[in-house]
Amino acid sequence: MNIGDISKATGLPAKTIRYYEEIGLIRPARGANGYRHFSETDLHNLTFLGRARSLGFSIEECRALLALYTDKARASADVKEIARTHLAQIDAKILELQAMRATLADLMAACAGDHRPDCPILKGLAGEP
């Protein structure tokens, strides 16, 4: 498969696939003409990477997960630890977003939203009481 074919098959943009190659996540074969040739293994690995990235795993987490994915002697505990750490990061981000939402909702509730120039939202953003 060429890069256009693999892009269609995985749903990943060609630019992303080239980037993954550049940073060593994948290593497609090269023909005599220098063009990339993607194998079924490359297809599976890129599909795996796309799914992992869609779940918010970082590039380095994806690198570790991909190494475990291809290691048939892996311990599932290693995979679970990466997932557990990532889930804790997601939970922390959710708490942060909930706090941001509550603050913004309070500021909006305090604003009359009328023709007057006084605006509690702007005061709150400026750090004024």
Side-chain angles (χ1 to χ4, degrees):
M1 280 182 274
N2 64 29
I3 198 159
D5 297 332
I6 200 91
S7 177
K8 280 183 190 166
T10 61
L12 295 172
K15 185 175 182 176
T16 298
I17 295 168
R18 287 187 202 99
Y19 175 68
Y20 288 169
E21 179 185 13
E22 182 183 317
I23 63 172
L25 281 176
I26 58 164
R27 288 186 170 66
R30 294 273 183 166
N33 59 6
Y35 291 167
R36 296 168 185 86
H37 175 75
F38 294 91
S39 66
E40 286 296 314
T41 300
D42 294 322
L43 173 64
H44 291 294
N45 288 346
L46 284 166
T47 300
F48 178 92
L49 288 168
R51 180 77 175 130
R53 292 292 287 152
S54 75
L55 291 172
F57 285 100
S58 70
I59 292 293
E60 287 312 310
E61 289 168 329
C62 285
R63 187 181 306 281
L65 288 167
L66 187 59
L68 290 165
Y69 177 64
T70 59
D71 179 4
K72 300 307 175 200
R74 68 184 168 257
S76 63
D78 295 336
V79 179
K80 189 171 185 176
E81 184 53 35
I82 293 170
R84 182 188 341 262
T85 300
H86 185 61
L87 185 58
Q89 292 168 345
I90 291 171
D91 288 340
K93 186 65 173 179
I94 288 170
L95 289 174
E96 181 183 330
L97 289 170
Q98 287 172 334
M100 288 170 54
R101 186 191 188 292
T103 299
L104 186 54
D106 289 346
L107 290 172
M108 287 179 57
C111 182
D114 56 17
H115 65 281
R116 292 179 291 165
D118 183 48
C119 181
I121 297 171
L122 294 176
K123 285 183 180 178
L125 293 174
E128 297 174 17

